[in-house]
């Protein structure tokens, strides 16, 4: 994914943390053959045999409420949460991962595609790295490889993302120079490049150029099918063949239409879906499984991020602030296209992904926001999951119609409200493994029961919050290292007496920190806000906020959370010196 230019499940050995043997990809018409042998992975290489499935994710480098800072504990937490959600590989998009991130990946067991550049000699924005590329690319590759060499989590180096010139002769020469330089520095890892096939032939698309649209806008309006169609064209095949031949693994961004055809045309070519639409994973993963030449799929994105604002948001005609464009206007802040929001809270797409990959047996329920029921969607890009929340607490909408989505590895789902069936229907209409129902909101217990061939295979439930709302605060750890690499992440939530999260009734909450620590950041997962991360008061989003505390030395730390009409919550932390 890329900011502005008219802009994979790995093999079973990688899933177990082993690095595959090197392979040649496509033709290598110039230069010496790489010393490692080449095979025909489409003919059943053991590195391609899959004993299990796990999703992979692209991630940006920022840490949400902490901004661009890379702090060891923040990276560790992020990697662990991704791992717990089933991910076993990340792509550092679109710059090299920090040492702290790689340390965390080594310890936790997360594979890494580390990426060097977002542009080469042709720029994407004013004053970008393209102005320095010619002078610095060799030194910057050397720095990245030196940083990564002793990190076992790194399995692949990417020499670029959506590089404009890969469809040109000089771009092919540049690709080979970069790839061979990386190999000279580290011959043990694979080399890839995230190729956006549409961008590679953009100068052939007269209609797009005439409309003065960016590539993001093309994908947002024309959708994923258009990207796949362009990507599988003969023009792309011809113009990217030479630059692709320089790679061990060809990374394809939004070009799944090439998977099957390339297996025939380039039998030695190994492909990874280096960037894919999250909304298409129900179709993409079966496609990966069906094509042994494709070793994986990296979704855009595993974790929400600052920038490319609103590309995953849903626009409605009834919203006077919606501009109908892919990227939204102020006060949008985040892209809103991650499996996790910027605070580390899992969104409904994450549970859907688990089901697609066979990692979850019980169904997952999500409810479209009832205040938008019946409104006309004017923009919902291929990065945008439905405008839904995994909650059955919607105060003020009693008796109102609602849309319920149930993700299930089943062929039929029954929806029960307080034990009474209110809907039943097939799975796999608009999306594979997803059922949709219209019903009426009434507080209680909403239960989804999944059936396969008439037999129940799983069930799950959402319960409405009732009674008075309480303020709850919980720290991920209460004992910290007394140094600036450690953090305490404190979830501040609105819950009822039974512990059910209260959504649909957000309010201001405040945090104060005294003692041997300070408030390093305070935020929520909302993609749209004017509130600051360095403020001490925030409005909850879907019942939640996240405070981040950083030690300033050894000693006791007291954190107090408060809100109008709510009883204060006090947490005691301790920062311990070495």
């Amino acid at each position: 994914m890329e900011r502005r230019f008219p802009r994979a499940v790995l093999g079973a050995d990688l899933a177990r943390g082993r690095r595959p043997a090197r392979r040649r990809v496509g033709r290598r018409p110039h230069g010496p053959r790489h010393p490692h042998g080449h095979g025909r992975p489409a003919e059943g290489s053991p590195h391609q045999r899959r004993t299990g499935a796990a999703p992979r994710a692209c991630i940006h480098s920022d840490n949400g409420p902490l901004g661009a800072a890379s702090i060891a504990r923040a990276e560790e937490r992020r990697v662990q949460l991704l791992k717990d959600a089933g991910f076993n590989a990340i792509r550092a998009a679109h710059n090299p991962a920090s040492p702290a991130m790689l340390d965390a990946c080594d310890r936790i067991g997360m594979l890494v595609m580390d990426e060097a550049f977002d542009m080469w000699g042709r720029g994407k924005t004013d004053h970008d790295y393209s102005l320095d590329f010619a002078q610095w690319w060799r030194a910057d590759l050397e720095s990245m490889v030196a940083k990564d060499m002793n990190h076992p989590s790194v399995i692949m180096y990417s020499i670029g993302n959506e590089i404009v010139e890969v469809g040109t002769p000089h771009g092919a020469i540049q690709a080979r120079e970069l790839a061979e330089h990386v190999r000279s520095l580290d011959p043990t890892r694979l080399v890839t490049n995230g190729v956006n096939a549409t961008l590679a032939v953009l100068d052939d698309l007269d209609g797009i150029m005439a409309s003065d649209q960016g590539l993001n806008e093309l994908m947002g309006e024309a959708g994923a099918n258009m990207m796949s169609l362009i990507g599988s064209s003969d023009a792309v095949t011809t113009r990217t063949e030479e630059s692709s031949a320089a790679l061990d693994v060809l990374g394809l961004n939004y070009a799944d239409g090439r998977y099957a055809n390339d297996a025939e045309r380039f039998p030695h070519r190994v492909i990874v879906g280096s960037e894919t639409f999250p909304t298409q994973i129900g179709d993409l993963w079966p496609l990966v499984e069906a094509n042994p030449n494709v070793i994986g799929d990296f979704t855009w994105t595993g974790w929400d991020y600052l920038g490319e604002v609103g590309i995953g948001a849903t626009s409605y005609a009834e919203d006077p602030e919606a501009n109908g464009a892919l990227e939204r206007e102020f006060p949008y802040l985040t892209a809103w296209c991650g499996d996790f929001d910027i605070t580390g809270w899992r969104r409904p797409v994450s549970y859907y992904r688990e089901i697609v990959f066979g990692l979850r047996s019980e169904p997952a329920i999500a409810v479209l926001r009832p205040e938008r029921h019946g409104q006309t969607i004017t923009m919902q890009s291929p990065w945008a999951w439905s405008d839904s929340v995994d909650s059955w607490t919607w105060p003020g909408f009693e008796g109102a119609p609602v849309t319920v989505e149930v993700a299930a590895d089943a062929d039929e789902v029954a929806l029960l409200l307080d034990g009474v069936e209110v809907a039943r229907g097939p799975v796999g209409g608009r999306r594979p493994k997803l059922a949709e129902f219209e019903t009426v909101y009434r507080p209680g217990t909403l239960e989804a029961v999944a059936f396969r061939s008439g037999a129940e295979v799983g069930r799950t439930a959402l319960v409405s919050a009732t009674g008075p709302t309480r303020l709850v605060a919980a720290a991920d750890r209460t004992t910290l290292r007394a140094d600036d690499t450690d953090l305490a992440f404190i979830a501040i939530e609105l819950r009822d007496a039974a512990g059910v999260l209260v959504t649909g009734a957000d309010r201001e909450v405040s945090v104060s920190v005294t003692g041997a620590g300070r408030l390093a950041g305070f935020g929520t997962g909302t993609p749209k806000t004017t509130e600051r991360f360095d403020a001490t008061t925030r409005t909850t989003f879907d019942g939640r906020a996240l405070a981040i505390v950083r030690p300033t030395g050894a000693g006791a730390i007291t954190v107090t959370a408060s809100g109008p009409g709510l009883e204060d919550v006090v947490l005691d932390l301790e920062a311990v010196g070495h």
Side-chain angles (χ1 to χ4, degrees):
M1 174 72 188
E2 107 107 41
R3 263 110 329 265
R4 168 185 142 70
F5 191 84
R7 145 145 163 104
V9 186
L10 305 174
D13 52 333
L14 299 187
R16 291 191 293 270
R18 297 204 301 265
R19 195 170 292 120
R22 304 272 301 187
R23 306 184 190 88
R24 282 175 61 225
V25 181
R27 295 187 302 112
R28 304 190 92 160
H30 340 283
R33 179 173 296 180
H34 198 263
H36 298 276
H38 68 276
R40 185 183 173 99
E43 295 291 333
S45 160
H47 300 304
Q48 296 291 96
R49 296 179 191 140
R50 297 170 176 85
T51 59
R56 279 77 178 173
C58 301
I59 60 168
H60 262 211
S61 59
D62 71 80
N63 273 298
L66 293 170
S70 177
I71 300 173
R73 174 56 190 156
E75 306 293 22
E76 180 182 61
R77 174 180 180 263
R78 181 155 55 147
V79 172
Q80 187 63 65
L81 289 173
L82 287 165
K83 181 89 169 183
D84 292 345
F87 290 98
N88 79 344
I90 59 171
R91 173 188 176 213
H94 302 291
N95 48 263
S98 70
M101 170 62 78
L102 296 182
D103 287 342
C105 291
D106 291 345
R107 289 194 304 272
I108 294 168
M110 182 71 72
L111 306 177
V112 178
M113 177 197 296
D114 209 7
E115 191 155 88
F117 307 118
D118 196 26
M119 69 283 298
W120 294 346
R122 290 180 59 183
K124 297 175 178 178
T125 60
D126 294 339
H127 313 298
D128 64 15
Y129 180 77
S130 64
L131 302 177
D132 299 309
F133 177 79
Q135 179 180 356
W136 287 103
W137 71 262
R138 289 181 181 274
D140 287 342
L141 283 178
E142 289 162 9
S143 294
M144 181 180 76
V145 173
K147 168 182 66 71
D148 292 0
M149 179 78 76
N150 292 321
H151 284 283
S153 57
V154 177
I155 58 169
M156 207 178 305
Y157 296 117
S158 172
I159 57 174
N161 169 68
E162 298 186 349
I163 301 301
V164 181
E165 54 264 50
V166 294
T168 66
H170 73 273
I173 294 171
Q174 184 71 74
R176 185 166 298 281
E177 285 184 328
L178 269 68
E180 294 300 345
H181 190 52
V182 170
R183 293 186 185 107
S184 72
L185 300 167
D186 181 0
T188 70
R189 266 101 169 179
L190 304 175
V191 178
T192 187
N193 187 14
V195 174
N196 187 307
T198 299
L199 187 58
V201 296
L202 196 61
D203 54 356
D204 284 347
L205 304 177
D206 294 336
I208 298 172
M209 295 297 286
S211 67
D212 195 29
Q213 290 180 306
L215 187 60
N216 281 358
E217 283 69 24
L218 167 70
M219 291 190 277
E221 295 180 11
N225 291 336
M226 178 64 77
M227 290 295 296
S228 183
L229 181 64
I230 295 171
S232 58
S233 67
D234 289 340
V236 168
T237 301
T238 301
R239 291 186 55 173
T240 63
E241 180 177 2
E242 190 72 11
S243 62
S244 299
L247 309 170
D248 300 301
V249 179
L250 171 60
L252 290 177
N253 290 12
Y254 313 107
D256 49 278
R258 299 204 64 87
Y259 292 177
N261 290 339
D262 276 15
E264 297 298 322
R265 299 191 67 161
F266 305 100
H268 298 300
R269 176 177 287 179
V270 181
I271 293 172
V272 63
S274 44
E275 197 166 311
T276 64
F277 293 118
T279 51
Q280 286 199 316
I281 191 58
D283 295 308
L284 289 174
W285 177 239
L287 193 61
V288 172
E289 291 192 302
N291 290 278
N293 58 316
V294 183
I295 60 170
D297 177 285
F298 285 78
T299 189
W300 191 269
T301 60
W303 198 280
D304 199 17
Y305 57 96
L306 307 176
E308 293 186 320
V309 295
I311 66 167
T314 301
S315 294
Y316 299 92
E318 293 79 2
D319 181 0
E321 297 181 358
N323 60 10
L326 175 64
E327 294 193 34
R328 305 293 293 275
E329 300 294 338
F330 176 85
Y332 268 85
L333 182 69
T334 77
W336 198 233
C337 62
D339 278 33
F340 287 80
D341 70 22
I342 60 169
T343 70
W345 185 257
R346 287 181 71 178
R347 300 178 61 210
V349 62
S350 178
Y351 299 104
Y352 174 79
R353 189 182 306 280
E354 274 192 307
I355 288 168
V356 167
F357 280 84
L359 303 177
R360 180 186 177 95
S361 57
E362 67 271 20
I365 307 172
V367 180
L368 272 65
R369 298 181 186 275
E371 65 267 28
R372 296 296 187 185
H373 190 273
Q375 294 190 4
T376 302
I377 294 175
T378 56
M379 170 59 78
Q380 195 169 59
S381 78
W383 293 290
W385 195 251
S386 62
D387 193 7
S388 59
V389 184
D390 51 352
S391 172
W392 193 241
T393 301
W394 302 102
F397 290 93
E398 292 78 5
V402 292
T403 302
V404 177
E405 296 179 337
V406 179
D409 185 11
D411 49 45
E412 187 180 42
V413 169
L415 203 60
L416 285 65
L417 183 57
D418 291 335
V420 178
E421 185 172 314
V422 294
R424 180 182 287 259
V427 175
R430 186 166 58 93
R431 288 195 177 105
K433 300 187 186 297
L434 191 71
E436 297 174 289
F437 304 98
E438 292 295 323
T439 187
V440 173
Y441 173 66
R442 189 178 76 245
T445 299
L446 182 70
E447 192 169 20
V449 184
F451 299 92
R452 190 182 304 123
S453 301
E456 180 179 329
V457 293
R459 65 172 60 206
T460 193
L462 296 176
V463 179
S464 300
T466 58
T469 296
R470 301 181 304 132
L471 187 62
V472 176
D476 61 341
R477 294 172 309 140
T478 57
T479 301
L480 311 177
R481 297 185 308 275
D483 62 51
D484 60 5
T485 67
D486 210 358
L487 300 164
F489 289 84
I490 300 170
I492 299 172
E493 299 171 334
L494 306 176
R495 294 189 178 269
D496 70 2
V500 178
L501 188 67
V502 178
T503 53
D506 289 312
R507 64 185 74 187
E508 285 190 345
V509 294
S510 299
V511 172
S512 65
V513 179
T514 59
R518 66 179 182 86
L519 186 63
F522 188 25
T524 72
T526 181
K528 178 183 178 182
T529 183
T530 58
E531 296 177 328
R532 296 175 58 93
F533 293 134
D534 59 359
T536 57
T537 298
R538 293 293 300 244
T539 303
T540 59
F541 177 67
D542 292 335
R544 300 187 68 256
L546 182 74
I548 306 170
V549 174
R550 192 174 193 179
T552 56
I557 305 171
T558 301
V559 181
T560 304
S562 60
L566 301 170
E567 185 176 344
D568 291 0
V569 181
V570 178
L571 296 179
D572 293 318
L573 311 178
E574 183 76 16
V576 179
H578 298 294

